[in-house]
Amino acid sequence: MNLTRRHTLVLAGAAALAPAALRAQPRFPDRAITVLVPFAPGGIADITARAVGEHMARSLGQPVVIENKPSAGSIVASQAVATARPDGHTLLLMSNGNAVSVGLFKKLPPYPGGDPQKDFAPISTLGFFDLGIFVAANSRFATLKALLDFARANPGKLNVGTIAPGSTQHLSAKLFETVAGIDTLVVPYKGSPAVLTALRAGEIDVAFEIAGPMVPQVQAGAVRALAVSSDQRNPALPEVPTAAQAGLTGYGVASWNALAAPAGTPPEVMAVLGRAVREAVASAAVRERLGKLGMRVQGSSPAELQALLAGEIQRWGGVIRAAKIEPE
């Protein structure tokens, strides 16, 4: 057989195998995508995941299923995603709770290393939002100053409600204690609806909660907002002062949500997910739905999300140390 004929046969054989090779690589996604949310239904993380997931489902041509797995420090959902098959079909609704956990726990579960910077492949941020300091409509506290005056005069008598320990809400309440120089009783609940129920029933005096989902309660006159946590007023609550404007200088907290996949997810799959997420957060429907909750909807590149996570780990570690919170 001459050299030319041999090369022709090799090329012909490769061409014959090419369709089979292409068929061996399934289209992504080839089934439903599950997004694990480390918080209970009804909160801002859950609402965000569902709004973005609905848009992603249409663009990807597969269902996006939201599964709630609330736990302290987002550990249960994070572990499930970090140990899932890295094929893009299992994602994590990441938040600054993942950054908080690094400083809040002495040793995170080995999933595989308990390091959110190594265990996950960042996809994109979804948005940023403020927290609010809320009281019941019939509360004796008309202002943040009145609440602080009571807490300082009655150590341990002010009952503060938040969601699970290790959450941004819980840590923001502990930071509030430190900055204000007060001693309170912080009571954790399983989810945001439970916090609201406790506040309205008088089981707690004040609640630290994401501002957006509480806006309808404020508008309906069921609760009152004494302040918002960031350094600027929330557009959904323009009449509510910041904590600094209300007299508590040095206190500032904001939160964020993002999507991440297990580490090792193929680049081509990450690219598909990234496009779908950024299309979702850029859509008018998603921006309007989440904007009504006071959320600043914003996508990012994987590198930008990775940098945000690293910065937040450092920031919240400093907050935890300053608040003298002993890692569990």
Side-chain angles (χ1 to χ4, degrees), residues 66-92:
I66 307 303
E67 185 175 340
N68 300 89
K69 286 185 174 291
S71 67
S74 303
I75 288 175
V76 173
S78 298
Q79 184 173 8
V81 174
T83 56
R85 184 177 177 181
D87 59 8
H89 290 92
T90 305
L91 307 179
L92 175 68

mmCIF file of all heavy atoms in Angstrom, residues 66-92:
data_model
loop_
_atom_site.group_PDB
_atom_site.id
_atom_site.type_symbol
_atom_site.label_atom_id
_atom_site.label_comp_id
_atom_site.label_asym_id
_atom_site.label_seq_id
_atom_site.Cartn_x
_atom_site.Cartn_y
_atom_site.Cartn_z
ATOM 1 N N ILE A 66 -36.050 24.044 42.025
ATOM 2 C CA ILE A 66 -35.507 24.681 43.227
ATOM 3 C C ILE A 66 -35.761 23.761 44.409
ATOM 4 O O ILE A 66 -36.895 23.372 44.690
ATOM 5 C CB ILE A 66 -36.162 26.048 43.485
ATOM 6 C CG1 ILE A 66 -36.072 26.934 42.229
ATOM 7 C CG2 ILE A 66 -35.513 26.717 44.691
ATOM 8 C CD1 ILE A 66 -34.672 27.158 41.728
ATOM 9 N N GLU A 67 -34.695 23.395 45.115
ATOM 10 C CA GLU A 67 -34.797 22.515 46.277
ATOM 11 C C GLU A 67 -34.235 23.242 47.496
ATOM 12 O O GLU A 67 -33.063 23.619 47.512
ATOM 13 C CB GLU A 67 -34.025 21.221 46.026
ATOM 14 C CG GLU A 67 -34.181 20.190 47.128
ATOM 15 C CD GLU A 67 -33.504 18.876 46.802
ATOM 16 O OE1 GLU A 67 -33.248 18.613 45.602
ATOM 17 O OE2 GLU A 67 -33.225 18.109 47.742
ATOM 18 N N ASN A 68 -35.071 23.449 48.500
ATOM 19 C CA ASN A 68 -34.660 24.184 49.702
ATOM 20 C C ASN A 68 -34.046 23.240 50.729
ATOM 21 O O ASN A 68 -34.664 22.232 51.095
ATOM 22 C CB ASN A 68 -35.858 24.904 50.317
ATOM 23 C CG ASN A 68 -36.487 25.901 49.372
ATOM 24 O OD1 ASN A 68 -37.370 25.558 48.596
ATOM 25 N ND2 ASN A 68 -36.034 27.130 49.430
ATOM 26 N N LYS A 69 -32.835 23.591 51.173
ATOM 27 C CA LYS A 69 -32.133 22.808 52.195
ATOM 28 C C LYS A 69 -31.546 23.762 53.243
ATOM 29 O O LYS A 69 -30.336 23.978 53.293
ATOM 30 C CB LYS A 69 -31.029 21.958 51.569
ATOM 31 C CG LYS A 69 -31.535 20.737 50.799
ATOM 32 C CD LYS A 69 -30.391 19.879 50.317
ATOM 33 C CE LYS A 69 -30.878 18.600 49.678
ATOM 34 N NZ LYS A 69 -31.497 17.663 50.652
ATOM 35 N N PRO A 70 -32.400 24.360 54.079
ATOM 36 C CA PRO A 70 -31.894 25.318 55.068
ATOM 37 C C PRO A 70 -31.050 24.641 56.134
ATOM 38 O O PRO A 70 -31.342 23.521 56.555
ATOM 39 C CB PRO A 70 -33.174 25.905 55.666
ATOM 40 C CG PRO A 70 -34.220 24.866 55.435
ATOM 41 C CD PRO A 70 -33.866 24.196 54.143
ATOM 42 N N SER A 71 -29.990 25.323 56.565
ATOM 43 C CA SER A 71 -29.141 24.820 57.637
ATOM 44 C C SER A 71 -28.209 25.939 58.082
ATOM 45 O O SER A 71 -28.010 26.920 57.364
ATOM 46 C CB SER A 71 -28.306 23.621 57.177
ATOM 47 O OG SER A 71 -27.354 24.014 56.213
ATOM 48 N N ALA A 72 -27.629 25.788 59.260
ATOM 49 C CA ALA A 72 -26.675 26.767 59.758
ATOM 50 C C ALA A 72 -25.482 26.849 58.826
ATOM 51 O O ALA A 72 -24.915 25.836 58.412
ATOM 52 C CB ALA A 72 -26.211 26.374 61.157
ATOM 53 N N GLY A 73 -25.115 28.092 58.473
ATOM 54 C CA GLY A 73 -23.941 28.292 57.641
ATOM 55 C C GLY A 73 -24.057 27.775 56.220
ATOM 56 O O GLY A 73 -23.039 27.646 55.531
ATOM 57 N N SER A 74 -25.270 27.449 55.776
ATOM 58 C CA SER A 74 -25.490 26.921 54.415
ATOM 59 C C SER A 74 -24.779 25.596 54.184
ATOM 60 O O SER A 74 -24.560 25.180 53.037
ATOM 61 C CB SER A 74 -25.031 27.937 53.357
ATOM 62 O OG SER A 74 -25.684 29.169 53.498
ATOM 63 N N ILE A 75 -24.437 24.885 55.260
ATOM 64 C CA ILE A 75 -23.573 23.712 55.143
ATOM 65 C C ILE A 75 -24.228 22.556 54.390
ATOM 66 O O ILE A 75 -23.598 21.918 53.545
ATOM 67 C CB ILE A 75 -23.102 23.262 56.543
ATOM 68 C CG1 ILE A 75 -22.087 24.261 57.094
ATOM 69 C CG2 ILE A 75 -22.474 21.877 56.492
ATOM 70 C CD1 ILE A 75 -21.638 23.977 58.506
ATOM 71 N N VAL A 76 -25.490 22.247 54.680
ATOM 72 C CA VAL A 76 -26.127 21.070 54.084
ATOM 73 C C VAL A 76 -26.206 21.190 52.557
ATOM 74 O O VAL A 76 -25.804 20.288 51.824
ATOM 75 C CB VAL A 76 -27.531 20.851 54.690
ATOM 76 C CG1 VAL A 76 -28.258 19.742 53.944
ATOM 77 C CG2 VAL A 76 -27.423 20.499 56.165
ATOM 78 N N ALA A 77 -26.724 22.316 52.070
ATOM 79 C CA ALA A 77 -26.817 22.515 50.621
ATOM 80 C C ALA A 77 -25.438 22.582 49.990
ATOM 81 O O ALA A 77 -25.209 22.016 48.906
ATOM 82 C CB ALA A 77 -27.602 23.792 50.318
ATOM 83 N N SER A 78 -24.509 23.268 50.645
ATOM 84 C CA SER A 78 -23.159 23.406 50.096
ATOM 85 C C SER A 78 -22.469 22.059 49.971
ATOM 86 O O SER A 78 -21.826 21.755 48.958
ATOM 87 C CB SER A 78 -22.323 24.336 50.983
ATOM 88 O OG SER A 78 -22.892 25.626 51.025
ATOM 89 N N GLN A 79 -22.607 21.224 50.976
ATOM 90 C CA GLN A 79 -21.985 19.906 50.939
ATOM 91 C C GLN A 79 -22.592 19.057 49.822
ATOM 92 O O GLN A 79 -21.875 18.346 49.107
ATOM 93 C CB GLN A 79 -22.152 19.194 52.278
ATOM 94 C CG GLN A 79 -21.451 17.835 52.345
ATOM 95 C CD GLN A 79 -21.486 17.238 53.734
ATOM 96 O OE1 GLN A 79 -22.158 17.749 54.623
ATOM 97 N NE2 GLN A 79 -20.745 16.170 53.942
ATOM 98 N N ALA A 80 -23.907 19.137 49.658
ATOM 99 C CA ALA A 80 -24.576 18.349 48.631
ATOM 100 C C ALA A 80 -24.103 18.740 47.230
ATOM 101 O O ALA A 80 -23.897 17.884 46.367
ATOM 102 C CB ALA A 80 -26.092 18.515 48.740
ATOM 103 N N VAL A 81 -23.916 20.036 47.004
ATOM 104 C CA VAL A 81 -23.477 20.491 45.685
ATOM 105 C C VAL A 81 -21.998 20.199 45.471
ATOM 106 O O VAL A 81 -21.588 19.742 44.392
ATOM 107 C CB VAL A 81 -23.759 21.991 45.497
ATOM 108 C CG1 VAL A 81 -23.177 22.500 44.176
ATOM 109 C CG2 VAL A 81 -25.262 22.255 45.535
ATOM 110 N N ALA A 82 -21.185 20.440 46.484
ATOM 111 C CA ALA A 82 -19.744 20.224 46.343
ATOM 112 C C ALA A 82 -19.406 18.777 46.041
ATOM 113 O O ALA A 82 -18.403 18.487 45.383
ATOM 114 C CB ALA A 82 -19.022 20.680 47.601
ATOM 115 N N THR A 83 -20.230 17.842 46.523
ATOM 116 C CA THR A 83 -19.971 16.421 46.298
ATOM 117 C C THR A 83 -20.803 15.843 45.155
ATOM 118 O O THR A 83 -20.730 14.648 44.880
ATOM 119 C CB THR A 83 -20.253 15.619 47.582
ATOM 120 O OG1 THR A 83 -21.597 15.860 48.019
ATOM 121 C CG2 THR A 83 -19.297 16.029 48.692
ATOM 122 N N ALA A 84 -21.594 16.679 44.494
ATOM 123 C CA ALA A 84 -22.393 16.214 43.363
ATOM 124 C C ALA A 84 -21.515 15.988 42.134
ATOM 125 O O ALA A 84 -20.407 16.512 42.040
ATOM 126 C CB ALA A 84 -23.493 17.233 43.042
ATOM 127 N N ARG A 85 -22.026 15.231 41.196
ATOM 128 C CA ARG A 85 -21.304 15.017 39.945
ATOM 129 C C ARG A 85 -21.123 16.362 39.238
ATOM 130 O O ARG A 85 -22.098 17.092 39.041
ATOM 131 C CB ARG A 85 -22.087 14.061 39.049
ATOM 132 C CG ARG A 85 -21.371 13.698 37.762
ATOM 133 C CD ARG A 85 -22.193 12.696 36.979
ATOM 134 N NE ARG A 85 -21.558 12.385 35.703
ATOM 135 C CZ ARG A 85 -22.057 11.546 34.801
ATOM 136 N NH1 ARG A 85 -23.223 10.933 35.052
ATOM 137 N NH2 ARG A 85 -21.416 11.320 33.678
ATOM 138 N N PRO A 86 -19.901 16.719 38.864
ATOM 139 C CA PRO A 86 -19.654 18.041 38.258
ATOM 140 C C PRO A 86 -20.024 18.103 36.780
ATOM 141 O O PRO A 86 -19.178 18.289 35.906
ATOM 142 C CB PRO A 86 -18.139 18.226 38.468
ATOM 143 C CG PRO A 86 -17.592 16.842 38.421
ATOM 144 C CD PRO A 86 -18.632 15.966 39.067
ATOM 145 N N ASP A 87 -21.310 17.957 36.511
ATOM 146 C CA ASP A 87 -21.784 17.967 35.126
ATOM 147 C C ASP A 87 -22.720 19.131 34.835
ATOM 148 O O ASP A 87 -23.314 19.215 33.759
ATOM 149 C CB ASP A 87 -22.475 16.638 34.790
ATOM 150 C CG ASP A 87 -23.667 16.338 35.702
ATOM 151 O OD1 ASP A 87 -24.064 17.230 36.500
ATOM 152 O OD2 ASP A 87 -24.210 15.226 35.638
ATOM 153 N N GLY A 88 -22.883 20.046 35.812
ATOM 154 C CA GLY A 88 -23.706 21.227 35.598
ATOM 155 C C GLY A 88 -25.175 21.055 35.906
ATOM 156 O O GLY A 88 -25.940 22.012 35.782
ATOM 157 N N HIS A 89 -25.588 19.861 36.334
ATOM 158 C CA HIS A 89 -27.009 19.632 36.595
ATOM 159 C C HIS A 89 -27.391 19.845 38.057
ATOM 160 O O HIS A 89 -28.569 19.756 38.407
ATOM 161 C CB HIS A 89 -27.403 18.217 36.162
ATOM 162 C CG HIS A 89 -27.410 18.038 34.678
ATOM 163 N ND1 HIS A 89 -26.315 17.583 33.972
ATOM 164 C CD2 HIS A 89 -28.370 18.293 33.743
ATOM 165 C CE1 HIS A 89 -26.601 17.536 32.689
ATOM 166 N NE2 HIS A 89 -27.834 17.970 32.516
ATOM 167 N N THR A 90 -26.402 20.125 38.920
ATOM 168 C CA THR A 90 -26.662 20.443 40.321
ATOM 169 C C THR A 90 -25.903 21.715 40.670
ATOM 170 O O THR A 90 -24.673 21.750 40.583
ATOM 171 C CB THR A 90 -26.207 19.307 41.256
ATOM 172 O OG1 THR A 90 -26.823 18.079 40.844
ATOM 173 C CG2 THR A 90 -26.594 19.610 42.691
ATOM 174 N N LEU A 91 -26.638 22.753 41.059
ATOM 175 C CA LEU A 91 -26.039 24.067 41.320
ATOM 176 C C LEU A 91 -26.365 24.531 42.739
ATOM 177 O O LEU A 91 -27.315 24.046 43.358
ATOM 178 C CB LEU A 91 -26.555 25.101 40.310
ATOM 179 C CG LEU A 91 -26.421 24.754 38.828
ATOM 180 C CD1 LEU A 91 -27.009 25.875 37.974
ATOM 181 C CD2 LEU A 91 -24.970 24.492 38.449
ATOM 182 N N LEU A 92 -25.585 25.494 43.209
ATOM 183 C CA LEU A 92 -25.783 26.061 44.545
ATOM 184 C C LEU A 92 -26.182 27.523 44.437
ATOM 185 O O LEU A 92 -25.561 28.287 43.705
ATOM 186 C CB LEU A 92 -24.492 25.955 45.361
ATOM 187 C CG LEU A 92 -24.509 26.619 46.747
ATOM 188 C CD1 LEU A 92 -25.452 25.868 47.692
ATOM 189 C CD2 LEU A 92 -23.095 26.661 47.331
#
